[in-house]
Amino acid sequence: MSERISVVENIMGANDRLAEDNRARLDAAGVFAVNLMASPGAGKTSLIEQTLPRLADQLRLAVIDGDIATSIDADRAAAAGAVASVQINTGGQCHLDAVMLQQGLGQLDLSQIDLLLVENVGNLVCPADFRLGTHKSVLVASVPEGDDKPYKYPGMYRGVDALVINKTDLLPYIPFKMDYFRRGVEVLNAGLVTFPLSCKTGEGVDAWVAWIVENVQTFKR
Amino acid sequence: MHELPVTQSILEITLRHAQEAGATRVTDLYLVIGQLASVVDDSVQFYWDVLSKDTIAESSRLHFRRVPAEMQCLSCGTRFPLDGDDFACPSCQGVGVKVVAGEEFFLESIEVDGGQASPPNEGGNA
Ligand SMILES: Nc1nc2c(ncn2[C@@H]2O[C@H](COP(=O)(O)OP(=O)(O)O)[C@@H](O)[C@H]2O)c(=O)[nH]1
Ligand SMILES: [Mg+2]
Ligand SMILES: [Zn+2]
């Protein structure tokens, strides 16, 4: 006897539930968390290195780094002044998921932290589908990647709360049509707040840091 | 890209519902996947064959129903299908659209054998 059973269950449901647990844990500890996503080499670690020293006198910062194999990025974060930095090796997996963040949180004393920056695995597709439980998702795009990326990776651009456009120091050398890029962003994510900046020269970084501070303050209230 | 964890999740959901129903075998799965969900059917099928082995879902068939992406313009309200990689509104050229369909990714139903029908496959994983 064959029988049809109605299921209607979200495939990502298990991850989403764990992400909610992570969020509750962060909220209870008063830790504001940001998920930084980007393609490899866009400048996630460089942005963390620029951000930490600018905040060190007002916020206690920790970094969780998702990487396929090495701990180079976590070491760079520690050197830049993080009170704690945790490396999660994903063992080849192309994204962080809520389980991995849960493990990372377990290695931190959350009572000693105000702001947690999570560096996701470099990838413009998968991280967008796996919610972690962080409060904000930020995409770090960079000029050398080209101005067509919003059109090619709509899922990533659609789901984020802020967009950093890094490596603006390279604009004079690379054919990057800012209007075309911004139009693609606007179509996918109307009104998205963007921060054009350069981690090399430091130009524009203060506006990004101000946005972070504003968010942490709103969260703490 | 991440079809392995996705397929593990499909198996977990399937076995849980099959057990609740007292099924002895799962023969068919009906999955709904939006055009914008980055999931490759063939790859899910590949992992499915590996992961479902030695479970009551071994040798079951996966059926994929694709849902085309549909957008709605935030300025003029026009609904339109996604055409190529440009999301802009075809009536007013407006940018600023929202996705109204195409992001689905769920298991809609499963077909099972229940009762004493087919006994579990003993002894082998040929
Ligand atoms: N010219 C330029 N290079 C940058 C900038 N930011 C990062 N880089 C370089 O880009 C490379 C990758 O940076 P990294 O932070 O490791 O990227 P991640 O893989 O996203 O963490 C490094 O060689 C950085 O020095 C920038 O604003 N301008
Ligand atoms: Mg890095
Ligand atoms: Zn319109």
Side-chain angles (χ1 to χ4, degrees):
Chain A
M1 263 293 283
S2 187
E3 186 192 347
R4 182 88 165 241
I5 303 173
S6 168
V7 176
V8 195
E9 194 168 314
N10 221 318
I11 306 302
M12 306 304 290
N15 183 75
D16 289 350
R17 280 189 295 277
L18 254 186
E20 280 164 30
D21 291 351
N22 288 341
R23 171 69 72 88
R25 192 162 158 193
L26 290 164
D27 284 346
V31 178
F32 185 78
V34 179
N35 179 10
L36 291 174
M37 297 178 284
S39 56
K44 298 176 292 299
T45 311
S46 302
L47 185 66
I48 290 170
E49 287 173 323
Q50 288 289 324
T51 306
L52 293 182
R54 286 175 167 82
L55 290 174
D57 58 347
Q58 39 178 326
L59 296 173
R60 296 165 300 171
L61 278 111
V63 174
I64 291 182
D65 254 293
D67 218 315
I68 295 192
T70 71
S71 71
I72 295 170
D73 287 356
D75 298 343
R76 281 170 67 184
V83 297
S85 78
V86 171
Q87 181 72 39
I88 304 175
N89 287 330
T90 60
Q93 189 133 279
C94 50
H95 57 269
L96 286 179
D97 61 24
V99 179
M100 292 184 234
L101 184 66
Q102 185 183 49
Q103 288 163 355
L105 294 180
Q107 295 178 51
L108 291 170
D109 180 355
L110 295 179
S111 70
Q112 298 303 310
I113 298 167
D114 303 304
L115 172 63
L116 172 64
L117 299 178
V118 180
E119 178 175 345
N120 215 311
V121 181
N123 181 332
L124 282 182
V125 182
C126 308
D129 292 339
F130 290 83
R131 289 168 49 204
L132 303 180
T134 48
H135 298 88
K136 296 280 177 195
S137 296
V138 174
L139 172 60
V140 183
S142 66
V143 167
E145 290 167 54
D147 50 22
D148 59 353
K149 290 302 164 289
Y151 303 91
K152 290 191 170 157
Y153 300 95
M156 179 57 80
Y157 279 82
R158 222 168 45 235
V160 295
D161 304 301
L163 171 66
V164 168
I165 307 170
N166 188 28
K167 309 196 189 182
T168 51
D169 59 289
L170 296 177
L171 278 170
Y173 313 104
I174 287 168
F176 183 96
K177 291 196 256 13
M178 191 57 91
D179 289 350
Y180 177 67
F181 177 83
R182 283 191 179 278
R183 177 178 172 281
V185 173
E186 193 58 24
V187 168
L188 296 166
N189 199 328
L192 181 67
V193 50
T194 59
F195 301 100
L197 55 82
S198 165
C199 289
K200 187 165 178 225
T201 66
E203 198 184 342
V205 175
D206 287 340
W208 149 256
V209 169
W211 181 80
I212 292 270
V213 170
E214 210 178 283
N215 273 284
V216 174
Q217 281 166 353
T218 312
F219 170 74
K220 292 263 183 192
R221 243 181 255 132
Chain B
M1 280 289 228
H2 45 256
E3 278 74 6
L4 175 58
V6 157
T7 312
Q8 280 163 339
S9 180
I10 295 171
L11 182 64
E12 181 272 322
I13 295 169
T14 300
L15 294 181
R16 181 157 39 76
H17 283 268
Q19 266 147 28
E20 276 166 21
T24 51
R25 179 149 295 281
V26 178
T27 58
D28 296 87
L29 283 80
Y30 296 87
L31 289 152
V32 178
I33 307 182
Q35 183 188 336
L36 297 170
S38 37
V39 181
V40 180
D41 303 6
D42 284 350
S43 181
V44 171
Q45 181 73 60
F46 170 80
Y47 285 118
W48 182 253
D49 295 340
V50 176
L51 293 174
S52 64
K53 219 168 184 193
D54 297 325
T55 74
I56 59 169
E58 180 169 349
S59 308
S60 54
R61 283 175 298 273
L62 298 180
H63 306 267
F64 299 95
R65 179 159 68 83
R66 284 275 169 184
V67 179
E70 193 185 357
M71 327 299 283
Q72 183 165 29
C73 175
L74 294 175
S75 7
C76 75
T78 303
R79 285 169 87 121
F80 57 96
L82 180 61
D83 181 19
D85 53 11
D86 193 349
F87 282 53
C89 172
S91 347
C92 74
Q93 317 314 318
V95 295
V97 299
K98 69 172 185 197
V99 178
V100 288
E103 290 184 304
E104 305 75 1
F105 186 29
F106 61 93
L107 180 60
E108 188 164 47
S109 61
I110 56 178
E111 221 159 279
V112 301
D113 291 337
Q116 326 84 327
S118 23
N121 187 9
E122 282 166 58
N125 46 11

